[in-house]
């Protein structure tokens, strides 16, 4: 009997990591690929969903070549993903019908302002645990359908599929046979009732989202479907797990009991606390969210979200070109005694918890004539 492996896809905001784990949980291989970020207008952030899927396919081939693992010994495929990013695609062709609108994108801030002015804050907070902010998927999907009457008509006829990145990857891995999401991702859409665990008719009506575009919501660990043949990946491998990246990190850090907390620093920074089967509400700017769904039950979490952490280092490297690589930041930081009174607030895409200010922007304070690189 050969070993069995799990193929894990971590589809992040700035790149994709594919890993292979053996039965002991030991990493048998790891590959990474970044992809292009698109900023068509100030405050807008987009991805090419087709590029993301193509990158995943290439990484799967690469890890199988790198590790020389027999693809037939892969027992399951699991997915974790950047959350809230909206993909809308044609069910017949499998092709995206618009650029993916990224969780960081602020284009729907005025829409959120209007809904707050209309007194809808408490409706969304009560049902979804979320604040009315451009961060979440629902207003992004509404924006796509509102701007194009043809897209809306096709959506209402059931010709289009909406999903977060987990749904998009599962759809492609299964050759278009499966359109699902898990509880953790569904809870980030502004469309899902985290108490009844169903898509909410009232919220769908407010945001004018046709039910026909929505994925089926399933638990975070079950067999959703099986792979089709994709390059060196054979057909028939169970696609058997999905969770939003921050909830997956909570689980991965073994925060299984209420009161346990994790902090993750990636593109953004996110603190989550497991609250067990209790749906804890906190009206001082934290989100109530589903941590995961297992065995027919869900566990909840409280979350504090910071939109830009590692992305600020990427900005220093790619836009300002003050550094050539992210690793230089440590050496530079250690080379000076302090910050000399200069502070950067990296509110490039607004502020998350606890302020939820979609219009805040990055600022540097404390510059003097002596400030240098």
């Amino acid at each position: 009997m050969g070993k069995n492996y799990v193929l894990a896809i971590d589809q992040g905001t700035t790149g994709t990591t594919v890993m292979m784990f053996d039965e002991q949980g030991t990493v048998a291989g790891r590959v990474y690929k970044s992809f292009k970020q698109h900023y068509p207008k100030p405050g807008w952030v987009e991805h090419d969903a087709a590029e993301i899927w193509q990158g995943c396919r290439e990484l799967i081939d690469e890890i199988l070549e790198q590790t020389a693992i027999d693809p037939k010994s892969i027992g399951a495929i699991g997915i974790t993903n950047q959350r809230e990013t909206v993909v809308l695609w044609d069910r017949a062709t499998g092709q995206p019908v618009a650029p993916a609108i990224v969780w960081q994108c602020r284009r729907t801030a005025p829409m959120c302002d209007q809904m707050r002015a209309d007194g809808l804050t408490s409706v969304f907070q009560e049902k979804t645990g979320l604040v009315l902010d451009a961060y979440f998927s629902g207003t992004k999907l509404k924006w796509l359908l509102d701007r194009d009457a043809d897209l809306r008509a096709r959506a209402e006829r059931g010709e289009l599929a909406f999903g977060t990145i987990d749904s998009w990857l599962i759809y492609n891995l299964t050759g278009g046979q499966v359109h699902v999401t898990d509880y953790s991702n569904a809870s980030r859409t502004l469309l899902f009732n985290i108490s009844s665990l169903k898509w909410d008719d009232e919220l769908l009506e407010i945001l004018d989202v046709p039910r026909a575009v929505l994925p089926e919501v399933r638990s975070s660990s079950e067999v959703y479907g099986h792979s089709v043949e994709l390059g060196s990946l054979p057909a028939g491998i169970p696609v058997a797990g999905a969770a939003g990246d921050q909830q997956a990190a909570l689980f991965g850090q073994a925060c299984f009991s209420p009161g346990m907390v994790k902090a993750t620093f990636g593109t953004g920074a996110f603190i989550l606390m497991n609250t067990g089967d209790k749906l804890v509400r906190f009206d001082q700017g934290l989100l109530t969210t589903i941590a995961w769904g297992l065995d027919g039950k869900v566990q909840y979490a409280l979350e504090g979200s910071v939109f830009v952490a590692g992305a600020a280092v990427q900005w220093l490297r790619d836009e300002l070109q003050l550094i050539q690589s992210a690793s230089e930041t440590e050496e530079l930081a250690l080379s000076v005694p302090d910050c000399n009174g200069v502070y950067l607030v990296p509110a490039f895409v607004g502020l998350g918890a606890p302020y939820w200010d979609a219009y805040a922007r990055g600022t540097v304070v404390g510059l003097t004539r002596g400030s240098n690189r």
Side-chain angles (χ1 to χ4, degrees):
M1 278 285 286
K3 275 187 175 177
N4 281 318
Y5 294 88
V6 170
L7 178 70
I9 300 171
D10 174 12
Q11 204 303 293
T13 310
T14 52
T16 305
T17 304
V18 172
M19 301 176 75
M20 200 77 85
F21 294 90
D22 68 16
E23 288 171 340
Q24 282 69 49
T26 305
V27 176
R30 177 191 182 112
V31 290
Y32 173 83
K33 183 184 182 78
S34 60
F35 56 90
K36 190 168 174 56
Q37 308 292 305
H38 300 271
Y39 310 108
K41 292 184 183 179
W44 289 31
V45 190
E46 294 178 349
H47 289 158
D48 178 347
E51 182 192 359
I52 287 175
W53 168 238
Q54 182 58 33
C56 285
R57 288 195 59 169
E58 291 169 7
L59 287 170
I60 291 168
D61 286 341
E62 189 181 327
I63 201 164
L64 287 169
E65 185 180 351
Q66 181 196 87
T67 59
I69 287 169
D70 179 358
K72 292 192 175 68
S73 65
I74 299 172
I77 299 169
I79 293 164
T80 179
N81 56 284
Q82 54 164 317
R83 306 172 302 173
E84 299 96 12
T85 295
V86 166
V87 186
L88 191 63
W89 68 92
D90 185 306
R91 290 184 190 273
T93 66
Q95 293 301 307
V97 295
I101 304 181
V102 179
W103 59 272
Q104 295 172 316
C105 187
R106 303 279 92 191
R107 75 184 65 181
T108 62
M111 192 187 294
C112 295
D113 293 344
Q114 185 59 54
M115 288 195 292
R116 277 194 295 273
D118 292 342
L120 293 168
T121 301
S122 59
V123 175
F124 282 94
Q125 209 145 19
E126 184 63 33
K127 293 189 172 203
T128 69
L130 308 176
V131 298
L132 269 176
D133 189 84
Y135 176 27
F136 305 106
S137 312
T139 59
K140 302 178 194 299
L141 178 56
K142 176 175 168 56
W143 186 92
L144 281 172
L145 298 177
D146 282 354
R147 78 186 180 101
D148 188 324
D150 179 54
L151 283 187
R152 179 167 287 287
R154 290 167 67 194
E156 286 168 354
R157 290 196 299 267
E159 295 169 11
L160 303 183
F162 149 74
T164 39
I165 294 289
D166 57 312
S167 301
W168 171 241
L169 296 184
I170 293 168
Y171 187 88
N172 281 289
L173 284 165
T174 61
Q177 298 301 302
V178 179
H179 183 211
V180 301
T181 190
D182 90 301
Y183 286 119
S184 70
N185 279 295
S187 75
R188 313 297 294 190
T189 59
L190 282 176
L191 302 168
F192 191 73
N193 189 312
I194 62 171
S195 301
S196 68
L197 305 182
K198 290 183 169 68
W199 298 116
D200 190 280
D201 287 328
E202 183 183 7
L203 302 180
L204 293 176
E205 188 177 339
I206 292 168
L207 288 168
D208 203 9
V209 169
R211 188 174 275 274
V213 300
L214 300 174
E216 182 187 352
V217 185
R218 307 267 286 273
S219 77
S220 308
S221 180
E222 64 172 274
V223 176
Y224 309 122
H226 294 80
S227 66
V228 292
E229 189 176 331
L230 295 161
S232 45
L233 187 76
I237 298 172
V239 182
D245 53 9
Q246 300 311 320
Q247 288 97 325
L250 186 70
F251 195 89
Q253 299 287 354
C255 296
F256 304 136
S257 304
M260 297 184 80
V261 182
K262 71 87 190 172
T264 304
F265 294 86
T267 299
F270 301 86
I271 295 177
L272 271 74
M273 180 173 78
N274 186 329
T275 63
D277 57 10
K278 287 197 178 72
L279 204 157
V280 177
R281 299 193 184 278
F282 189 84
D283 61 5
Q284 301 299 311
L286 296 184
L287 306 174
T288 304
T289 198
I290 294 177
W292 49 73
L294 293 173
D295 305 322
K297 292 181 290 194
V298 300
Q299 284 194 270
Y300 295 96
L302 274 175
E303 175 176 325
S305 323
V306 174
F307 296 151
V308 171
V313 176
Q314 190 181 38
W315 172 74
L316 288 172
R317 183 193 67 196
D318 298 346
E319 311 306 329
L320 260 56
Q321 298 182 357
L322 287 177
I323 54 172
Q324 254 61 61
S325 68
S327 57
E328 284 177 51
T329 54
E330 182 183 21
E331 185 185 338
L332 284 167
L334 293 172
S335 71
V336 291
D338 54 45
C339 68
N340 198 26
V342 178
Y343 295 89
L344 166 70
V345 181
F348 302 138
V349 292
L351 289 171
Y355 305 105
W356 298 105
D357 183 346
Y359 299 102
R361 290 293 177 263
T363 186
V364 181
V365 294
L367 291 174
T368 65
R369 180 63 185 80
S371 301
N372 56 29
R373 177 169 178 266

